[in-house]
DNA sequence: TGGAATATCATGGGTAATTATGGGAGTCAA
DNA sequence: TTGACTCCCATAATTACCCATGATATTCCA
């Protein structure tokens, strides 16, 4: 009887929380949006009830993930610098690509209310062009929040590019 | 959770590891379809009881597979990007041409109910032209769901093309 | 070995729980 | 007071969960 066992890389042993599928929800007059229940349950094991969000550096969208992901980033980054003997980096917090630090700086913590909604800060909705509706897009380890019209166009292009690369047989 | 019991026929004593054969099942008024028992048992070892599905980029059909495949895809990608210190990819998602990311966005997680059925989202049935009946087609590591009439034609064309190819260059 | 008891499967339906959404009351600070 | 925010409650629609049935298959045993 074959038993499925986790590989022994020493990496995180818990399953990668994954955000799948897309959902379109309303933004009410108070600026609240329901985070899709499926996403909330993907975050379920985390102590902090809410999400981390920041304006995408590439798309006109909001990037978001759980606190666990942020911790994981920090941990791996720390491991890497210690392994490399670069203690200055670990202690002072300066690195060549300040990306992680930068992300930290521009991120917001968005806690859930009792009904699983978050309030999108104006800074983020303005970046994404979101007004009264928002499209949640699962990206596996993280998710994005788009203005529905903007995402629709983006998604069409994305799928078309993918389709062009495939030569029969579907995706393995 | 549905209890799964090994058959005692001695015919196939080890769990089936892939999806084979085709089945045609009804879609009821609530949009539910039974996933063929043989397929469910092929998914039996996975912790998550259900399937992942997305509209085929090539055929007018639904592509489906187990959760395990998706997790593996995700994990490999995350480890790969973080191990290399490439936080850019992890944070803004510019990796492998966006294949994993796009699949995540267009996929749906379809959990089994107590009877082994799934609910097909409108997005997927519309893409495949499915109304009240669905044909499950095993493709080894994954399977497809078709509208029966559509699949029939597709299958005929597929076999005919294969036959033509084989007869042209000798048999087998 | 023939047939009754037992499982499994696909299918259907009823009902409780959840979800997304809306709004009001209370709090705190400026 | 006026906002901005949190906490609590209400509701319609959807979904999850439970049980029931007929049709096949499978097992058991007299």
């Amino acid at each position: 009887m074959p038993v499925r066992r986790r590989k022994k890389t020493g990496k995180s042993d818990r399953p990668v929380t994954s955000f799948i599928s897309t959902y379109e929800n309303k933004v009410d007059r108070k600026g609240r949006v329901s985070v899709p229940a499926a996403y909330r349950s993907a975050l379920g094991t985390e102590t902090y009830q809410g999400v981390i969000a920041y304006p995408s550096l590439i798309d006109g969208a909001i990037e978001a993930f759980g606190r666990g992901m942020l911790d994981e980033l920090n941990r791996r980054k720390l491991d890497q610098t210690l392994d490399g003997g670069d203690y200055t980096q670990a202690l002072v917090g300066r690195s060549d690509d300040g990306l992680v630090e930068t992300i930290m700086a521009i991120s917001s913590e968005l806690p859930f209310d009792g009904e699983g909604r978050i309030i999108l800060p104006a800074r983020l909705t303005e970046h994404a062009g979101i007004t009264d509706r928002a499209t949640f897009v699962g990206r596996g380890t993280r998710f994005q929040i788009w203005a529905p019209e903007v995402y629709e166009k983006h998604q069409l292009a994305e799928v078309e590019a993918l389709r062009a690369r495939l030569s029969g047989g579907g995706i393995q």
Side-chain angles (χ1 to χ4, degrees), chain A residues 24-92:
Chain A
E24 184 181 316
N25 287 342
K26 282 189 181 177
V27 179
D28 70 17
R29 271 185 294 172
K30 297 180 178 179
R32 299 175 297 189
V33 217
S34 284
V35 173
Y39 291 6
R40 298 204 302 270
S41 95
L43 293 165
T45 53
E46 313 205 347
T47 46
Y48 170 71
Q49 285 295 311
V51 303
I52 313 291
Y54 64 91
S56 168
L57 302 177
I58 289 181
D59 299 313
I62 301 170
E63 300 278 351
F65 43 73
R67 171 164 283 282
M69 177 63 167
L70 203 63
D71 293 342
E72 182 79 358
L73 279 173
N74 276 322
R75 190 176 68 76
R76 299 219 193 193
K77 184 167 186 295
L78 186 64
D79 282 350
Q80 180 180 301
T81 58
L82 289 182
D83 288 349
D86 190 351
Y87 299 104
T88 306
Q89 206 174 57
L91 292 173
V92 182

Side-chain angles (χ1 to χ4, degrees), chain A residues 3 16 33 57 67 78 86 98 105 112 125 129 147 162 165 171:
Chain A
V3 176
V16 177
V33 217
L57 302 177
R67 171 164 283 282
L78 186 64
D86 190 351
F112 293 141
T125 57
L162 197 52
R165 282 182 46 230
I171 296 168

Side-chain angles (χ1 to χ4, degrees), chain A residues 62-146:
Chain A
I62 301 170
E63 300 278 351
F65 43 73
R67 171 164 283 282
M69 177 63 167
L70 203 63
D71 293 342
E72 182 79 358
L73 279 173
N74 276 322
R75 190 176 68 76
R76 299 219 193 193
K77 184 167 186 295
L78 186 64
D79 282 350
Q80 180 180 301
T81 58
L82 289 182
D83 288 349
D86 190 351
Y87 299 104
T88 306
Q89 206 174 57
L91 292 173
V92 182
R94 294 187 58 175
S95 65
D96 300 337
D97 70 334
L99 186 61
V100 174
E101 280 89 354
T102 302
I103 297 295
M104 303 271 188
I106 64 176
S107 289
S108 303
E109 281 197 16
L110 310 180
F112 293 141
D113 69 8
E115 283 70 41
R117 292 171 290 199
I118 55 177
I119 295 179
L120 298 174
R123 185 174 56 89
L124 295 179
T125 57
E126 281 162 16
H127 172 78
I130 293 171
T131 57
D132 62 334
R133 284 140 66 87
T135 298
F136 289 76
V137 181
R139 294 299 192 183
T141 54
R142 64 185 211 291
F143 63 92
Q144 300 176 318
I145 310 174
W146 293 72

